Amino acid sequence: MIDRVPAVPEALDYSADTALKQRPGTRPLLHRPPAPRPTKQPFAKNVILKNVILARLSVQHLAAIAECLEPITLKERMVLQEPKRQVEHVYFIETGLVSLRVNAAGRLLETAIIGYRGAVGASFLRSRHLSTHQSVVVFPGSAHRIRVEDLRRVMKAHPEIREHLSKYVQALTFQCVQTGLCGVRHHREQRLASWLCLASDAVDACMLPVTHDYLSLALGMRRAEVTETLARFEEQGLIRKMRGVVQIDQHKSLGETACCCYKLVSGAYASPSVRPLIKEQTS
C-alpha cells in the first residue's frame, strides 16, 4: 500500500540516507525565534541545508522563507502529489529521490526525477494550483516543505524568490520535454545509462537503491532488457549489481555511454537560464 503524506510531519530520520554523501559547501539555515504554529515542528538550530534552491538564496530571502518551512521524512513510495489535485505544499528535497510520472493510456511513465537540486510542487507557478504529475518517493530521504499559500505570501514580499524558483521550474520543464524525446529517439542502452547518471547526480551518490523492476517501469522497457543491459554495463566495469542496489564505478565512462539527453539536462540545471532544445547530436 502506498503511504500518504501525514498531516503532521514526522521527525527527521536520516538513518535511511547512510549511502548518500553530504555535499560540501552547504550553509546552516537561518532560524528565527517566533513561536511555530501548533501543527508544525520548528527547525532545530544550525540545521545544514543541502537543497540547492534554498542554499542559493540570499541571507535576507532565506530568512524570509525559513520561518514557514517544516521538516518532513520521505518514506519510500510516499505519494507527495496526485495529478489534477490541488497543490498544497512545495517540497524542497534534501536527501532521497522523487519520481514525477504521468498516466498515459493506462501506463505510468516517468518524466523526471528530483533530488537535492530541486523541489516538488514548484510547477504551481505555471499551472496554478493543479498538479499535472504524480510525485512518488523512490529513494527515502528528507525534505523541507512549505504551504503554497505561505510561499505565495513570501514571494509577494520578495519577488526575487519567485524569479529564483521560476528558473528551476524552467529546468524541470526542460527535463520533462527532453525525457519524452529520449524515449522515442534513443536506444535502451543510452537511456538506461542516462537515467543512472542523472539519478546519481540527483542524490550525489554512486550507490543507487534501485531494482530492475523499477527501472523497467521508469524507462518503459521490458525487465529482461534492463537485466541484459545492466549485465553488459557490469562486464564493461561501469557498474556493479547487488541485490536491490546498483553501484556506479565509472561515472564518467557511463556518462559517455549515455545519450546526449544526459548532458543537456545536466546543463539545464547548471545554467542560470535553460537553453532551448537544440538539434540532437548523434551519440
Side-chain angles (χ1 to χ4, degrees):
M1 181 180 294
I2 295 177
D3 294 317
R4 297 287 173 176
V5 179
V8 180
E10 301 173 30
L12 283 176
D13 178 9
Y14 291 96
S15 60
D17 305 309
T18 53
L20 306 182
K21 303 179 296 183
Q22 180 174 317
R23 287 189 63 81
T26 53
R27 53 194 174 108
L29 179 67
L30 296 181
H31 176 76
R32 284 191 172 185
R37 298 175 181 176
T39 57
K40 283 187 179 181
Q41 292 184 4
F43 275 112
K45 291 183 179 181
N46 301 321
V47 170
I48 301 299
L49 275 178
K50 301 176 186 176
N51 182 270
V52 170
I53 297 175
L54 295 178
R56 287 180 177 174
L57 289 175
S58 68
V59 174
Q60 177 188 6
H61 297 148
L62 183 59
I65 199 172
E67 56 188 22
C68 300
L69 295 171
E70 54 184 331
I72 182 172
T73 298
L74 302 178
K75 294 183 177 180
E76 185 178 0
R77 292 189 290 181
M78 177 186 289
V79 177
L80 302 183
Q81 292 175 342
E82 289 279 18
K84 299 180 181 179
R85 297 283 183 86
Q86 199 84 355
V87 177
E88 297 181 354
H89 295 89
V90 174
Y91 298 79
F92 294 95
I93 307 302
E94 290 282 298
T95 59
L97 191 71
V98 176
S99 169
L100 265 61
R101 308 168 179 178
V102 294
N103 191 317
R107 296 181 57 189
L108 286 175
L109 300 177
E110 184 176 86
T111 61
I113 47 180
I114 299 177
Y116 77 97
R117 297 181 298 184
V120 175
S123 56
F124 84 91
L125 290 174
R126 293 190 173 183
S127 58
R128 298 183 181 179
H129 269 182
L130 290 182
S131 173
T132 57
H133 290 74
Q134 182 188 58
S135 304
V136 182
V137 177
V138 181
F139 303 166
S142 61
H144 292 118
R145 76 177 185 180
I146 181 173
R147 293 183 181 277
V148 169
E149 291 77 9
D150 290 336
L151 183 54
R152 285 188 182 279
R153 175 176 51 80
V154 172
M155 290 191 302
K156 185 176 181 180
H158 304 276
E160 297 85 355
I161 296 179
R162 173 183 287 274
E163 181 180 353
H164 181 66
L165 196 55
S166 293
K167 290 178 180 179
Y168 163 72
V169 174
Q170 189 178 6
L172 179 63
T173 302
F174 179 89
Q175 182 179 3
C176 292
V177 172
Q178 196 69 31
T179 298
L181 174 65
C182 184
V184 297
R185 291 286 184 89
H186 298 140
H187 299 300
R188 69 189 189 198
E189 184 173 300
Q190 296 174 316
R191 293 171 57 212
L192 183 51
S194 180
W195 192 96
L196 292 173
C197 288
L198 286 172
S200 176
D201 293 347
V203 297
D204 193 30
C206 60
M207 295 191 68
L208 307 177
V210 64
T211 64
H212 294 199
D213 286 333
Y214 180 77
L215 291 172
S216 174
L217 170 69
L219 297 171
M221 296 166 52
R222 291 187 294 109
R223 191 183 188 282
E225 292 176 332
V226 171
T227 300
E228 179 184 340
T229 306
L230 288 177
R232 188 178 302 116
F233 288 165
E234 191 167 33
E235 290 173 358
Q236 296 169 353
L238 303 178
I239 68 167
R240 273 182 286 172
K241 295 185 300 177
M242 292 165 274
R243 186 174 181 83
V245 175
V246 173
Q247 177 172 321
I248 300 176
D249 290 334
Q250 299 293 333
H251 189 286
K252 182 177 179 180
S253 297
L254 189 63
E256 293 171 352
T257 301
C259 56
C260 61
C261 298
Y262 169 56
K263 291 183 179 179
L264 289 174
V265 172
S266 297
Y269 285 106
S271 175
S273 60
V274 180
R275 295 168 292 183
L277 284 171
I278 62 174
K279 185 178 180 180
E280 63 172 323
Q281 303 170 350
T282 303
S283 58

